[in-house]
Amino acid sequence: MKLIKTEDAVGSILCHDITQIIPGVVKDAVFRKGHVVTEEDIPVLLSVGKEHLYVWEQQEGMLHENDAAEVLRQVCQGEHMKASEPKEGKIELTAECDGLLKIDRDKLNKVNAMGQMVLASRHGNFPVKKGDKIAGMRVVPLVIEEEKMNQVKEICGEEPIFRLLPFWKMKVGIVTTGNEVLSGRINDQFTPVVGKKLEEAGMEVMGNVLSGDDSERVTEAIRQWLDKGAEMVVCTGGMSVDPDDRTPLAIRNAADTVITYGAPVLPGAMFMLAYAGEVPVVGLPGCVMYARRTIFDLVLPRIAAGERLTAEDFTLLGEGGLCLNCDVCTFPNCGFGK
């Protein structure tokens, strides 16, 4: 920093906030640190008693906070995101479409571990809507070594830290199991709940087939949806280890690959995910019918974004996998699934 007369400060960059106090009216910064002084600012600065100012003295090899924030933006911003203009050394990213936020946590942690860097974001693997704030970034000091920002570029490489995968309108077929539903002894209360969740995710429900509990009939119903071009098949009910619950067997017989049967999430432990080629086939336990939030709410956005999940994806759900069933549900702005 260097101290100069206010009249000589045009074009200089402030190193501290300039506060204006009008009793009973305002007490706030009339100019923030990092502000570039203009000719019109001089009378205002003098009116708040600033006859001298501390300004940034340009040094070779050093970057101003706004320029450093721009480097952070370059390594953070992926497609379908909009960046704000630097303000007080900070840049924010917002979503330009509905989609699934993906975060390279290794890069994120390495940059934050360097010190003097701040990358703050919402949780990854959760949906965002157009206009939602994704992340904010800045450096702590007013000026920072250019070499340090070059290190950030080396750590992050070509792929951005944040990616937004747009949702795509998948066609979904539903298979409703249960002899009690097939026979008409009870009304099907499962399909309407599932259909609503699918439609909220932007998916197209092709219809549902009542199959009963016979595993061969369930398998045949799944294959019928696949033949009709379904891009996802959802089977409701019959997922427990009860001898009469044969949906898991039916899914195994219709699929090529089983990713998981069972997951460390409550409610939703008896969830199943398999793939018939590239088409996900999902087995939903009964809790999805009556619980407000379950494993289905954690998995569905990822499927809607075109992700192919692995067994490890489910293993990682254990921490945060307990829904507290709060009186007022604030999901996804809570700890469930995080």
Side-chain angles (χ1 to χ4, degrees):
M1 296 187 297
K2 66 177 179 179
L3 184 66
I4 63 173
K5 289 184 177 181
T6 297
E7 290 90 341
D8 301 329
V10 175
S12 299
I13 299 173
L14 295 177
C15 288
H16 56 93
D17 292 349
I18 304 296
T19 302
Q20 181 183 48
I21 302 176
I22 303 176
V25 179
V26 66
K27 180 183 178 182
D28 197 7
V30 64
F31 298 110
R32 298 287 185 185
K33 74 170 185 174
H35 176 73
V36 180
V37 179
T38 66
E39 188 71 45
E40 292 77 15
D41 296 336
I42 301 301
V44 179
L45 290 164
L46 293 173
S47 72
V48 296
K50 296 299 179 182
E51 296 184 356
H52 295 82
L53 300 170
Y54 281 105
V55 298
W56 178 42
E57 189 172 14
Q58 177 69 46
Q59 293 180 339
E60 186 176 352
M62 302 294 289
L63 290 179
H64 181 262
E65 61 178 354
N66 285 349
D67 297 319
E70 172 60 21
V71 174
L72 294 178
R73 182 205 64 76
Q74 292 171 8
V75 301
C76 286
Q77 185 178 3
E79 290 186 296
H80 313 295
M81 300 178 193
K82 181 180 180 181
S84 67
E85 293 296 323
K87 182 179 181 181
E88 301 169 21
K90 181 176 70 174
I91 294 177
E92 295 180 336
L93 300 178
T94 55
E96 290 191 310
C97 68
D98 295 355
L100 182 77
L101 178 62
K102 300 294 294 183
I103 301 175
D104 189 321
R105 292 186 176 91
D106 182 57
K107 291 180 182 178
L108 178 69
N109 292 335
K110 284 182 178 178
V111 173
N112 279 328
M114 292 179 65
Q116 299 185 313
M117 311 285 175
V118 175
L119 299 181
S121 75
R122 61 172 61 210
H123 281 278
N125 286 334
F126 274 81
V128 297
K129 292 187 176 297
K130 181 178 180 180
D132 282 353
K133 189 182 297 184
I134 291 173
M137 62 211 67
R138 66 170 304 155
V139 295
V140 175
L142 178 64
V143 295
I144 192 169
E145 297 89 341
E146 186 175 7
E147 175 57 31
K148 182 167 282 192
M149 302 313 299
N150 288 335
Q151 292 175 20
V152 171
K153 294 179 183 178
E154 291 177 9
I155 288 172
C156 295
E158 297 298 323
E159 294 298 320
I161 293 176
F162 303 107
R163 294 182 297 132
L164 185 57
L165 307 181
F167 294 138
W168 51 294
K169 195 174 181 66
M170 300 176 70
K171 296 185 293 183
V172 184
I174 300 175
V175 178
T176 304
T177 70
N179 289 334
E180 67 279 14
V181 177
L182 180 63
S183 66
R185 290 195 295 271
I186 68 169
N187 293 326
D188 176 17
Q189 300 181 48
F190 212 145
T191 300
V193 173
V194 173
K196 183 177 180 181
K197 287 184 180 291
L198 293 171
E199 290 170 356
E200 287 176 351
M203 298 180 175
E204 174 189 343
V205 178
M206 301 171 70
N208 76 298
V209 173
L210 304 181
S211 66
D213 287 319
D214 181 77
S215 65
E216 293 184 0
R217 291 188 63 176
V218 177
T219 297
E220 180 58 29
I222 295 171
R223 288 173 174 162
Q224 286 178 5
W225 282 127
L226 295 173
D227 291 341
K228 292 178 181 179
E231 295 162 306
M232 178 179 176
V233 179
V234 175
C235 300
T236 64
M239 292 301 301
S240 78
V241 293
D242 189 297
D244 292 330
D245 287 345
R246 298 166 183 165
T247 306
L249 173 61
I251 292 175
R252 290 181 188 275
N253 291 337
D256 304 312
T257 305
V258 174
I259 302 301
T260 188
Y261 173 38
V265 177
L266 296 171
M270 306 308 290
F271 177 88
M272 186 172 188
L273 174 65
Y275 285 90
E278 297 300 318
V279 178
V281 182
V282 174
L284 297 182
C287 62
V288 176
M289 179 171 54
Y290 58 82
R292 282 180 293 187
R293 298 297 176 183
T294 69
I295 189 172
F296 194 39
D297 298 285
L298 305 181
V299 173
L300 184 58
R302 301 183 67 175
I303 294 176
E307 276 201 296
R308 185 181 177 105
L309 278 72
T310 66
E312 183 182 11
D313 289 319
F314 288 92
T315 301
L316 295 174
L317 290 176
E319 182 179 2
L322 177 63
C323 177
L324 299 180
N325 194 30
C326 302
D327 291 337
V328 178
C329 180
T330 59
F331 181 86
N333 300 319
C334 67
F336 184 48
K338 301 183 177 71

